[in-house]
Every structure is written in C-alpha cells, then in structure tokens.
Amino acid sequence: IGMRLPWTIIDEDTWTVAHRMLGYISIPLAIVYLALVLSNIDLKLATSVIILVWIGIPGVLSFIFYWKKYKVG
C-alpha cells in the first residue's frame, strides 16, 4: 500500500516524506478511531473522518514538500 499521488510517484524524496508521515500518524489515528468507535459515534462518520485525515495530512504535506523542492523562480 502506498500513496500514489502524482508528486509522490515523480520524486523519491517526496515519496519518502509522505510515507514517513503516514508512519507517524497511523498509530495515533488508530487510537482515536478506537475511542470514537467505543463512544457510540456514527461508525460511517468516524471512519470517513479518520480516512480523510489519514490520507489528507501526508498528501498535503508531501505536496508542499514537492512544491518547495521544485519551485521555479
């Protein structure tokens, strides 16, 4: 499994940044998800939010890294 975003596929350093960030946030998000499930919150909503955060944070941060690395001008 990997983040196959255009900027992570093109650049190996960006790929590394994205996947390192995924590694850092996976366990804390799993703990938050478990707490949400145990607190009887809507399961579909909790799952959607956690997945969006899990993909969104590394996606945005890796894009910023890529943009700064290859910024022209």
Side-chain angles (χ1 to χ4, degrees):
I1 296 176
M3 292 198 71
R4 294 187 182 117
L5 301 170
W7 51 91
T8 60
I9 293 173
I10 293 171
D11 183 54
E12 187 174 341
D13 292 334
T14 306
W15 176 272
T16 302
V17 167
H19 289 82
R20 187 165 292 151
M21 184 58 58
L22 277 170
Y24 290 143
I25 68 171
S26 291
I27 298 298
L29 283 176
I31 293 168
V32 169
Y33 183 67
L34 182 62
L36 290 173
V37 169
L38 294 175
S39 66
N40 292 327
I41 291 181
D42 181 26
L43 188 58
K44 289 181 183 180
L45 177 63
T47 302
S48 298
V49 169
I50 293 296
I51 289 175
L52 286 174
V53 170
W54 188 60
I55 294 171
I57 290 174
V60 169
L61 292 178
S62 64
F63 178 75
I64 292 169
F65 175 84
Y66 178 79
W67 185 72
K68 286 182 179 180
K69 183 176 179 181
Y70 291 103
K71 186 167 77 170
V72 177

